[in-house]
Amino acid sequence: MGNKRVMIPASEIDLTAVKYIPENIQAPHLTGFWFKFFVKLIEAPGIGSLIMNRLKNENKIDEKLKYTVIPEGPMFKPEFPPQEPEPAVVSLEEDVKPEDRVELALKCLPDYDPASNWSDDSTASFRYWKIRDYAYAYRSKFRTPSMVAARFISAIEEFNNKNPAAPLLISFDPDEVRKQAAASTQRFEQDRYTGGSSSGPAAIVASGLCSAALGTDGGGSVRIPSSLCGVVGLKSTYGRTDMNGSLCDDGTVEIIGPIATTVEDTILVYAAILGSSPVDRISLSPSFPCVPNFPSQESSQCLESLCLGKYTEWFNDVFSTDISDKCENVLSRLSEKHGCKTVEIVIPELHEMRIAHIVSIGSESLCALNSDCNDGKEGRLTYDTRTNLAFFRTFTAADYVAAQRLRRRLMYFHLEIFKKVDIIVTPTTGMTAPRIPPSALKVGETDLQVSGNLMRFIITANLLGLPAVTVPVGYDKQGLPIGMQLIGRPWCEASILRLAAAIEETCAEPKKKPLQYYDILKGN
């Protein structure tokens, strides 16, 4: 075999002997002119391949793919064995109208009186408006969608006119917003649901411009911004929602998910968008989608019996102990208030997981973007995206197959862990929102050390297709939001949402007002 490394079959790994090894990503941190120059180099024939191969060697990517014998067969899509049904839930039918699912989900939420929060008192404390607040305001005719749209347009224009500009939307047509709002007003006059979506969802939700929005999560793209902005973000089980029409609709790590200010609104949006594609229903055999039934007596009993898994060395591998301390405090409070038990677990081959994820999402993203790049549209992409694409082009078909062999090993490890615990708990990110260097404002930057800190805990759910949710748990010493992540068994969204709601209640404290909060519903 020469220099080849032969991996032990996953079923024979002694988990008690696994040692945690911190990440050590080798890559330059570049901004401004040098970043642009670097992109030109890596896109050039010959020298570009040499640079990328050097980076791959320094990070031992080829060592773990090309020069390693992986005994498991490839898993090209997440595969899940049958799961035990979740307790204290209400099932949602996938083939009915979204509004019918939302109506049923509403009945599963705790009692709430929107009228009690409706006041013209300008001294009232800061709060985010829920979807039920908007519905109440519209039905009571205190506000109309057109009035809210006018405030929304004003806020977006204020963002765009900042120096430097802080655009939240790729495209923005005020007349179209007004037109859709007018139609929504008319529909609401007729007791129909309004809808909408936007890009830059976490910033828009956190800024108070709307209660909820949608994002796609292939590498933490729902959970990371939600955590950094102090809101809730849900990545459901792979195949739970239909990806048709999205950029990587045939990928194996990505799924559409809601971002909202509360767990409650996350549940309502999840109920509206769920529904597996016909192909996924055949290949994945998804369990019936459910939401937690909070009014039931059994719901609180479910919390008492939860067993949470924590890999302490991984959990504590964060940029600032503010993050791990805050998350650890939440676990203690869950134990005291609800009786949740936390046990120590070990997760092998985390470095291999990172590489398998990079190869998978990189190859799939490149496949989706290749036609545009070949049409000469690559120059319209940001420099960091072009850097990533140049790196992804170095992967071979053999690399992709090896990554899927690793996926099967890692799935085995996690399903074994879920025989002992219900939910795996981690910080959502290894650092709070990083600063933007002034030199990066025009060109952008590449800093894989920061990327590694942000993505440390999130790729498990993407590579293995597991459901995961981030919920805000407080702030660091700089006043920046901290998120806690809950990773669940396949198809068990209801369980992680129930625990997320308990954490939300446990961490209830006056929220710090965002630097740019807009009270869109009240118009202040």
Side-chain angles (χ1 to χ4, degrees), residues 8-19:
I8 300 172
S11 59
E12 299 177 14
I13 295 289
D14 179 6
L15 296 184
T16 62
V18 172
K19 302 297 183 184

Side-chain angles (χ1 to χ4, degrees), residues 106 109-110 112 117 126-134 202 205-206 208 210-213 226 229-234 257-270 294 469-472 496-505 508 511 517:
L106 279 166
L109 298 177
Y112 176 68
N117 290 309
F126 159 72
R127 67 185 300 274
Y128 283 119
W129 297 104
K130 298 181 179 182
I131 290 174
R132 286 198 274 185
D133 291 314
Y134 279 88
V205 170
C210 59
S211 292
S226 296
C229 292
V231 293
V232 181
L234 171 67
I259 295 174
T261 56
T262 62
V263 175
E264 171 184 309
D265 286 349
T266 303
I267 290 172
L268 293 180
V269 178
Y270 166 66
F294 290 107
V469 64
T470 177
V471 59
I496 59 173
L497 288 168
R498 178 183 285 111
L499 183 59
I503 292 174
E504 186 177 65
E505 181 184 17
K511 287 185 175 290
Y517 174 73

Side-chain angles (χ1 to χ4, degrees), residues 54 89 96 216:
R54 171 91 181 260
V89 299
V96 302
T216 55

Side-chain angles (χ1 to χ4, degrees), residues 173-294:
D173 184 343
D175 292 336
E176 182 62 23
V177 173
R178 293 187 184 98
K179 179 181 176 181
Q180 292 185 27
S184 295
T185 299
Q186 184 178 4
R187 284 197 301 271
F188 222 96
E189 290 171 353
Q190 300 171 348
D191 196 23
R192 306 284 182 90
Y193 286 97
T194 60
S197 91
S198 63
S199 47
I204 285 178
V205 170
S207 297
L209 294 173
C210 59
S211 292
L214 298 179
T216 55
D217 195 315
S221 297
V222 162
R223 289 162 290 148
I224 291 174
S226 296
S227 177
L228 300 187
C229 292
V231 293
V232 181
L234 171 67
K235 180 220 166 283
S236 55
T237 309
Y238 176 81
R240 182 61 92 191
T241 59
D242 192 342
M243 291 294 292
N244 186 39
S246 66
L247 184 62
C248 293
D249 56 2
D250 56 353
T252 67
V253 297
E254 188 172 17
I255 196 160
I256 296 171
I259 295 174
T261 56
T262 62
V263 175
E264 171 184 309
D265 286 349
T266 303
I267 290 172
L268 293 180
V269 178
Y270 166 66
I273 67 173
L274 65 83
S276 303
S277 69
V279 172
D280 285 338
R281 289 194 200 185
I282 295 171
S283 62
L284 299 176
S285 301
S287 301
F288 224 56
C290 303
V291 292
N293 186 10
F294 290 107

